[in-house]
Amino acid sequence: IAGITQAPTSQILAAGRRMTLRCTQDMRHNAMYWYRQDLGLGLRLIHYSNTAGTTGKGEVPDGYSVSRANTDDFPLTLASAVPSQTSVYFCASSGGLADYNEQFFGPGTRLTVL
Amino acid sequence: GQNIDQPTEMTATEGAIVQINCTYQTSGFNGLFWYQQHAGEAPTFLSYNVLDGLEEKGRFSSFLSRSKGYSYLLLKELQMKDSASYLCAGMDSNYQLIWGAGTKLIIKP
């Protein structure tokens, strides 16, 4: 692995189903993030984790949950998917809480909820 | 509230220079980032400014004025591969990025 990987690449999901988007990084970054990107809107933060074992809510957390059991993995779960969760989801990581730390992004997961 | 404003779309000619402006309002300020995003791909880091002034990196330069809450990205000697969206993001006091909607740059031959 080099950088950040996400799985699946794309998914079509029936409303009401549970879905987990996977994210793994091999850069030993402390901080990880989940964003959604919708046409005409900026990236919106869903949840974040500043270090393994801790998580926090972002701008749009409702309907999503995360866990951070170790440094490398940061899965995002939709407990009961709704059509408004149709979006492109990006996972990102950074070295930690410092102003100069750029975020590195995974390739994204395109999710369609019908 | 926190807000990032940038133009939705700009058009420029191959070989020319283009300036993409961004105004920001964040709760606290820990720097201003620019990212490039090609269609269907992930954003990639271009530049970071935390002090006033111009940072030059090859064909790309980024400027910051903290007193005006203003930044711009300057792209010189435009190439067709520069066609992409350019995302402006301000880092707030919690080290979270507040993102603009992006400026789609169209390069014409």
Side-chain angles (χ1 to χ4, degrees):
Chain A
I1 298 177
I4 303 181
T5 58
Q6 292 184 236
T9 302
S10 64
Q11 182 76 43
I12 299 174
L13 189 66
R17 296 297 297 268
R18 181 184 180 90
M19 174 75 190
T20 295
L21 307 185
R22 300 184 298 278
C23 174
T24 299
Q25 54 104 356
D26 66 354
M27 296 178 282
R28 307 306 292 172
H29 281 168
N30 287 321
M32 297 187 75
Y33 312 85
W34 273 106
Y35 293 96
R36 59 177 291 172
Q37 186 174 41
D38 303 290
L39 196 63
L41 299 176
L43 288 161
R44 291 184 291 169
L45 183 65
I46 305 171
H47 285 286
Y48 65 94
S49 169
N50 289 331
T51 189
T54 69
T55 62
K57 294 182 179 180
E59 179 187 356
V60 289
D62 294 343
Y64 306 94
S65 63
V66 293
S67 61
R68 185 89 184 277
N70 57 60
T71 297
D72 298 345
D73 302 301
F74 191 43
L76 176 74
T77 298
L78 289 69
S80 179
V82 295
S84 62
Q85 292 177 313
T86 293
S87 188
V88 179
Y89 291 86
F90 286 103
C91 180
S93 72
S94 72
L97 291 183
D99 52 6
Y100 54 83
N101 278 332
E102 64 184 272
Q103 293 184 12
F104 295 84
F105 285 79
T109 293
R110 185 173 297 273
L111 182 67
T112 302
V113 183
L114 301 175
Chain B
Q2 304 195 98
N3 193 50
I4 305 287
D5 284 320
Q6 54 182 128
T8 302
E9 186 175 295
M10 298 182 70
T11 302
T13 304
E14 189 177 15
I17 299 172
V18 70
Q19 177 175 312
I20 303 174
N21 296 324
C22 170
T23 58
Y24 66 88
Q25 189 174 13
T26 57
S27 299
F29 181 74
N30 279 308
L32 194 291
F33 290 78
W34 284 95
Y35 279 75
Q36 181 189 59
Q37 185 177 26
H38 285 100
E41 298 182 6
T44 55
F45 171 78
L46 285 178
S47 69
Y48 167 72
N49 295 68
V50 68
L51 300 176
D52 286 353
L54 188 68
E55 294 278 344
E56 297 185 76
K57 190 185 294 185
R59 294 189 299 115
F60 292 6
S61 302
S62 56
F63 173 83
L64 178 68
S65 169
R66 295 185 62 157
S67 63
K68 296 181 179 178
Y70 167 72
S71 174
Y72 68 73
L73 181 68
L74 191 71
L75 292 74
K76 303 176 184 177
E77 301 169 14
L78 286 170
Q79 302 175 9
M80 297 303 293
K81 68 178 181 180
D82 298 330
S83 293
S85 288
Y86 291 85
L87 313 181
C88 175
M91 181 171 274
D92 69 13
S93 57
N94 294 318
Y95 299 100
Q96 302 296 352
L97 289 179
I98 309 302
W99 296 84
T103 299
K104 182 178 181 180
L105 179 62
I106 299 168
I107 310 294
K108 295 185 175 181

